[in-house]
Structures are given as structure tokens and as C-alpha cells.
């Protein structure tokens, strides 16, 4: 959030971000519903509170650490008075009557919501596109995707139109949009941040994979946000304990070993990760060990198997077709595909495709895949321990053209595997590609060792420049 200026009022700050959103949102279609009038009223109350405070600003900062800070929220989260459709046409009239717990904690800390942002239909695709709000564009190139499912958040933050944001992640839905839009994000250790108050709800074993976390332009905002969003659980992470990077063990895994389901990692991303390794070794005097982990080759199969597994009660997770049927007629995927070809479907091709894929999934997990999962879990937990940090590509490709992910649907497995393993991951930008598109890397740590990946992200922000303003060819803040 950077240093405060005593001469700037909360109203002026909020109005500046409103002006910015009104300038760029017609180009990027990131915010789908605003609450500007209410935000300005809340900002005026903040200014009055500061003026009347007799104990000094330090007292307010301790009690309300986000006082007056503008925030945006993924539309999949409940924000009182705002829609909560998750891009489903049958939920278009649904308005939240209360806040999701994570949103409530940020508001209680003084944050002022400006509105809600776009996501993929039912939060399960690489592109933030649905038939209710349309498609969201990348601020670095309007013809490129923003990722999903928290793509609206990624885009609005990348465009410099919000200070901080909140997203959810069950397969990379925080990290992929952060990567494509050149910002920071964090998937916390499992069980730290409350996942309630978002749609669709997790079912089966999915609650153990879903994470709610912060998204922002500046790495220094991740720890304050996570400490607030985690509530009492955040104490388990010792977030404010100083980390000596020189005492950590660093590892770099350049790719997943060559799965035939996933694209090869682009040379520019491989080079960027190598530059991180060189910088760590030069600045910190550490030795970064390069590894190849064979089980990562089966990341998609592991993710798919675990996502389809029944919960402790023995009940299978809610199918995607059932979620698509919410509030309307039952959806038959094959019939829906036929309607799509005729231009009559109310669902995106990606959503229909996901529902079709589920029809062919086996209800009996492969013993080989389960063995790979258990082996990978054990190997990474032993490797990372309490002082290990691993670098891994965020995605094999930089931001693709709109609709192109339909041809590479399994590339998300580079992020999705860490949801299954329950490990904390910080997404860190690493400058821009030759095409002017964001580069980045995932920083992985052991369970409950979030502070290690967060501290590494803070260092890499200083070393590589962090968030870069979109160029003159797109949006110039």
C-alpha cells in the first residue's frame, strides 16, 4: 500500500481509484458491479474518524490496519448488497445479504470495497468469461486472457485500479490470474483462511484443496492481508517472525518432466527462473539446487483424481452439471453442447466441456496415480521441511490469446498440484516478456511455512521490480 501521505484524505483516495476504474473498465471489463456511492460515504466516515481521534493515528492503525484502503472482491464471494452469481445466468438476480467471513474481516479492519469483479463460469476455467458479464481483458494486451477464476481481480489490480483484492484458489485461481496480470498473490496453507461465503461451495474432499487468499500489486501487502484474513488461525504461521533468507535451502524445478497432456514451458519463462536462481546465489550466497521430480509428470491426473474423490461421509462431490443446473432446469451436457453449436446455450463452451469430461471419469481412482500422489507428498514435505523454498513455473505459457486455453486445458496442473498437496505458494512477477506480457514464478514452501515464500517474494520484488505499469499500447496509469 506504500507510505501514507498526511495531506490526502480517504475520500480523495477512494475517488482516485473510482476515476481510474471508470477510465479503464470499459477496456478490460474487470469490475462487473460497483458500489462507488457507498464507498465514498464510507470514506467520508473514515476521514471523520481520523479527525476526531484523540489518541493519534497510531491508535487507529493498530485497531484498523486497513482503514480507508480501497479493495475489490471476486464476485464469487458474498459481499453485502452485491451480486453473487459466479457468472451463472440463473443466479443473475441473487444479491448477497451478508459478507463472506474473509471479506468481513477485511472490512472490519477498515477496508472499503469498491465493487465485485468477474470470474469464469462457476469458477472452474482458465479464462474469466461467462454469458452474464462477458469476457475480461488483460491490461497488458486486450486480446489476451486474464486467467481464472479470479481473473477480474487480476485484471483490475494489474491495471492499477485497486489496491488489494481477494480471490479463491482450488487449482490455481489466485496464482494464474496473478501471473498473467503481473501482480502478487498467495495461496495459503490449508485451513488458515475461512472458505465459507463463496459460490460454488466445495464438496467431497475439495474443502481440503480450496484456499482463500490475498492478491495485490505490492508484496509488502500480502502479510498484513493474510494476517487479517486468517483471523486467529494466522497465529499458526508466525507471519511477523523475521526470515533470514541466507539460512534457507533453495530448490528450482524447471518443468514437470514432460507430460504429454501439458505444453512445454516457454523459453522466456525458463530463462526468467534461471535469472532468479542466479540472483539468489549472487546476492545471498546460497546454492540453489536444480531438481527434477518425476511424480510431477502426473500432476493433472493426481488433481483430477483427488477432486473427484468422495468426502469423509462417503458422498461424491457435486458434479459440474449439477452446479450448472442451479436455479434452473437440469443440464444435460451433450444436449447443452448441441445447443451451444446452434447458439442457444446459456453456458460457455468451457463449462459444457468440463461437464462432459466428468461423464467419462472413473469412480475408482487409479492405484498408480494414488501411489504417485502419496510419493510426491512425502518427497516434497521431506524436501522442504521448515526451511526449504522451491521455485516452479507458474504456468507453461505466458498469457494466451482469448479462447486459446480450450486447446491446452490441462496446463493449470502446474498450479493445481499444490492445492492437492496443501502447500503454501506465493506467486511473484518477474518483469515482462519480449511481447510486453508478465513473467513470473511460483514460490513454494512447506506446510505452515508461508512466511518463507512471502519473504522470498519480498526479496524478488526488490530484485526484479515487481509489478510493472501496463505500457502505452494498452493502459497507461
Amino acid at each position: 500500500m506504500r507510505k501514507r501521505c498526511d495531506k490526502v484524505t480517504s475520500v480523495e483516495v477512494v475517488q482516485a481509484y473510482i476515476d481510474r476504474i471508470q477510465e479503464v473498465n470499459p477496456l478490460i471489463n474487470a469490475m462487473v458491479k460497483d458500489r462507488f456511492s457507498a464507498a465514498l460515504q464510507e470514506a467520508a466516515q473514515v476521514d471523520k474518524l481520523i479527525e476526531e481521534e484523540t489518541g493519534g493515528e497510531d491508535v487507529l492503525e493498530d485497531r484498523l490496519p486497513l482503514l480507508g484502503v480501497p479493495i475489490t472482491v471476486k464476485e464469487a464471494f458474498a459481499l453485502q448488497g452485491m451480486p453473487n452469481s459466479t457468472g451463472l445466468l440463473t443466479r443473475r438476480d441473487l444479491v448477497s445479504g451478508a459478507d463472506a467471513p474473509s471479506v468481513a474481516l477485511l472490512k472490519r479492519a477498515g477496508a472499503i470495497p469498491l465493487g465485485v469483479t468477474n470470474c469464469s463460469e462457476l469458477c472452474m476455467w482458465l479464462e474469466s468469461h461467462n454469458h452474464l458479464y462477458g469476457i475480461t481483458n488483460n491490461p497488458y494486451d486486450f486480446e489476451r486472457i486474464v486467467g481464472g477464476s479470479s481473473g477480474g481481480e487480476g485484471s483490475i489490480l494489474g491495471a492499477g485500479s485497486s489496491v488489494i483484492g481477494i480471490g479463491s484458489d482450488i487449482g490455481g485461481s489466485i496464482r494464474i490470474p496473478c501471473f498473467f496480470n503481473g501482480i502478487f498473490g498467495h495461496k495459503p496453507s490449508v485451513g488458515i483462511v475461512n472458505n465459507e461465503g463463496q459460490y460454488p461451495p466445495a464438496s467431497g474432499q475439495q474443502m481440503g484443496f480450496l484456499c482463500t487468499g490475498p492478491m495485490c500489486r505490492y508484496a509488502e501487502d500480502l502479510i498484513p492481508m493474510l494476517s487479517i484474513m486468517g483471523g486467529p488461525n494466522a497465529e499458526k504461521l508466525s507471519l511477523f517472525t523475521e526470515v533470514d533468507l541466507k539460512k534457507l535451502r533453495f530448490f528450482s524445478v524447471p518443468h514437470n518432466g514432460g507430460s504429454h497432456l501439458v505444453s512445454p514451458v516457454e523459453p522466456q519463462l525458463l530463462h526468467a527462473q534461471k535469472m532468479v536462481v542466479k540472483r539468489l546465489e549472487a546476492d545471498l550466497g546460497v546454492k540453489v539446487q536444480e531438481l527434477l521430480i518425476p511424480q510431477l509428470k502426473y500432476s493433472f491426473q493426481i488433481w483430477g483424481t483427488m477432486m473427484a474423490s468422495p468426502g469423509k461421509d462417503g458422498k461424491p462431490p457435486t458434479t459440474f452439471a449439477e452446479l450448472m443446473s442451479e436455479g434452473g432446469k437440469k443440464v444435460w451436457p451433450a444436449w447443452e453442447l448441441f445447443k451451444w453449436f446452434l447458439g442457444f446455450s446459456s453456458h460457455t463452451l468451457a463449462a459444457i466441456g468440463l461437464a462432459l469430461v466428468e461423464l467419462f471419469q472413473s469412480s475408482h481412482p487409479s492405484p498408480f496415480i494414488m501411489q504417485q500422489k502419496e510419493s510426491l507428498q512425502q518427497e516434497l514435505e521431506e524436501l522442504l521441511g521448515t526451511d526449504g523454498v522451491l521455485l516452479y513455473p507458474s504456468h507453461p505459457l505466458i498469457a494466451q490469446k482469448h479462447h486459446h486455453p480450450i486447446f491446452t486445458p490441462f496446463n493449470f496442473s502446474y498450479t493445481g498440484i499444490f492445492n492437492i498437496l496443501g502447500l503454501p505458494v506465493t506467486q511473484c512477477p518477474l518483469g515482462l516478456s519480449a511481447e510486453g506480457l508478465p513473467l513470473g514464478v511460483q514460490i513454494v514452501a512447506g506446510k505452515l511455512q508461508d512466511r518463507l515464500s512471502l519473504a522470498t517474494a519480498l526479496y524478488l520484488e526488490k530484485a526484479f521490480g515487481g509489478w510493472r505499469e501496463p505500457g502505452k499500447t494498452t493502459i497507461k496509469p
Side-chain angles (χ1 to χ4, degrees):
M1 285 166 271
R2 299 315 195 204
K3 293 181 179 179
R4 296 177 179 175
C5 177
D6 294 336
K7 297 181 180 179
V8 179
T9 67
S10 181
V11 168
E12 289 171 333
V13 171
V14 169
Q15 186 62 61
Y17 277 94
I18 290 173
D19 292 343
R20 177 64 178 162
I21 292 170
Q22 291 176 331
E23 175 189 3
V24 305
N25 204 55
L27 302 172
I28 60 176
N29 189 38
M31 180 168 285
V32 293
K33 181 69 175 179
D34 71 70
R35 57 186 304 277
F36 293 159
S37 178
L40 286 169
Q41 291 177 17
E42 290 162 10
Q45 292 171 2
V46 167
D47 289 333
K48 183 178 180 182
L49 179 64
I50 293 173
E51 186 178 338
E52 295 175 351
E53 177 58 50
T54 57
E57 286 193 20
D58 290 343
V59 174
L60 282 176
E61 187 172 357
D62 184 60
R63 194 171 80 244
L64 300 164
L66 297 181
L67 186 61
V69 176
I71 184 174
T72 42
V73 178
K74 182 181 183 179
E75 200 259 17
F77 286 92
L79 173 60
Q80 188 175 25
M82 292 284 102
N84 183 220
S85 69
T86 319
L88 206 59
L89 285 172
T90 52
R91 288 173 59 88
R92 68 169 67 190
D93 296 323
L94 194 150
V95 176
S96 298
D99 296 322
S102 53
V103 175
L105 286 170
L106 292 169
K107 289 175 66 176
R108 201 174 301 158
I112 298 177
L114 300 177
V116 291
T117 55
N118 204 14
C119 56
S120 53
E121 184 176 356
L122 291 168
C123 290
M124 285 294 284
W125 187 238
L126 279 164
E127 180 151 26
S128 291
H129 173 221
N130 56 72
H131 287 332
L132 180 57
Y133 300 124
I135 198 165
T136 299
N137 301 321
N138 193 305
Y140 294 86
D141 183 342
F142 302 147
E143 296 182 355
R144 304 272 179 165
I145 66 172
V146 295
S149 59
S150 310
E153 273 305 298
S155 179
I156 205 85
L157 286 159
S161 304
S162 179
V163 181
I164 53 178
I166 179 171
S168 54
D169 190 314
I170 201 169
S173 292
I174 288 174
R175 290 161 289 156
I176 295 173
C178 286
F179 168 52
F180 288 157
N181 295 280
I183 61 172
F184 292 88
H186 185 69
K187 183 199 85 66
S189 292
V190 173
I192 298 299
V193 181
N194 192 315
N195 288 318
E196 295 177 7
Q198 57 181 295
Y199 190 86
S203 57
Q205 290 191 32
Q206 295 168 4
M207 187 54 76
F209 313 138
L210 177 63
C211 289
T212 297
M215 302 170 68
C216 50
R217 279 182 287 153
Y218 303 112
E220 66 184 357
D221 294 333
L222 290 172
I223 288 179
M225 285 189 71
L226 183 56
S227 68
I228 293 166
M229 294 169 68
N233 286 333
E235 295 179 7
K236 300 176 183 178
L237 304 180
S238 303
L239 289 172
F240 297 100
T241 299
E242 187 175 352
V243 176
D244 186 350
L245 295 178
K246 294 181 179 180
K247 294 182 178 179
L248 299 184
R249 296 176 299 115
F250 288 92
F251 307 93
S252 179
V253 179
H255 53 76
N256 68 1
S259 169
H260 67 280
L261 296 174
V262 179
S263 303
V265 179
E266 286 198 19
Q268 290 187 82
L269 294 172
L270 291 172
H271 177 73
Q273 190 163 323
K274 286 180 180 178
M275 290 301 100
V276 172
V277 170
K278 287 184 178 180
R279 194 66 186 263
L280 287 169
E281 293 182 336
D283 289 358
L284 304 179
V286 299
K287 176 62 179 176
V288 181
Q289 183 180 353
E290 183 169 307
L291 301 173
L292 290 179
I293 302 177
Q295 302 95 318
L296 287 170
K297 184 176 181 179
Y298 304 100
S299 291
F300 171 71
Q301 294 93 326
I302 293 171
W303 185 89
T305 297
M306 298 305 297
M307 284 287 289
S309 298
K312 294 179 181 179
D313 56 4
K315 295 181 180 179
T318 306
T319 68
F320 203 72
E322 289 171 333
L323 293 172
M324 291 168 67
S325 305
E326 166 73 15
K329 296 180 179 179
K330 184 175 181 178
V331 170
W332 300 92
W335 174 242
E336 205 63 36
L337 181 62
F338 178 71
K339 288 166 58 180
W340 183 87
F341 277 115
L342 297 177
F344 296 136
S345 176
S346 59
H347 300 283
T348 59
L349 179 60
I352 297 168
L354 288 168
L356 281 167
V357 168
E358 280 189 332
L359 295 177
F360 300 98
Q361 280 185 331
S362 172
S363 58
H364 303 289
S366 161
F368 174 77
I369 293 301
M370 292 303 296
Q371 181 184 25
Q372 295 301 308
K373 186 264 181 188
E374 295 303 324
S375 172
L376 178 61
Q377 185 98 50
Q378 181 178 349
E379 181 171 343
L380 279 180
E381 288 184 5
E382 291 177 355
L383 178 74
L384 295 171
T386 59
D387 62 348
V389 170
L390 182 144
L391 305 174
Y392 193 60
S394 312
H395 200 74
L397 306 175
I398 57 175
Q400 295 171 275
K401 297 277 189 174
H402 284 306
H403 308 300
H404 281 212
I406 204 78
F407 304 110
T408 55
F410 308 121
N411 281 352
F412 77 92
S413 57
Y414 266 84
T415 47
I417 189 61
F418 297 111
N419 293 84
I420 304 303
L421 300 176
L423 300 176
V425 188
T426 306
Q427 172 58 38
C428 181
L430 296 174
L432 303 179
S433 71
E435 302 89 346
L437 298 169
L439 303 170
V441 70
Q442 291 187 93
I443 309 168
V444 187
K447 288 184 178 179
L448 301 181
Q449 307 304 314
D450 300 52
R451 67 186 183 281
L452 304 186
S453 64
L454 292 166
T456 304
L458 275 164
Y459 160 76
L460 291 179
E461 179 181 38
K462 294 176 182 176
F464 289 88
W467 170 74
R468 307 287 182 89
E469 295 180 357
K472 295 180 180 179
T473 56
T474 51
I475 300 171
K476 182 68 175 177

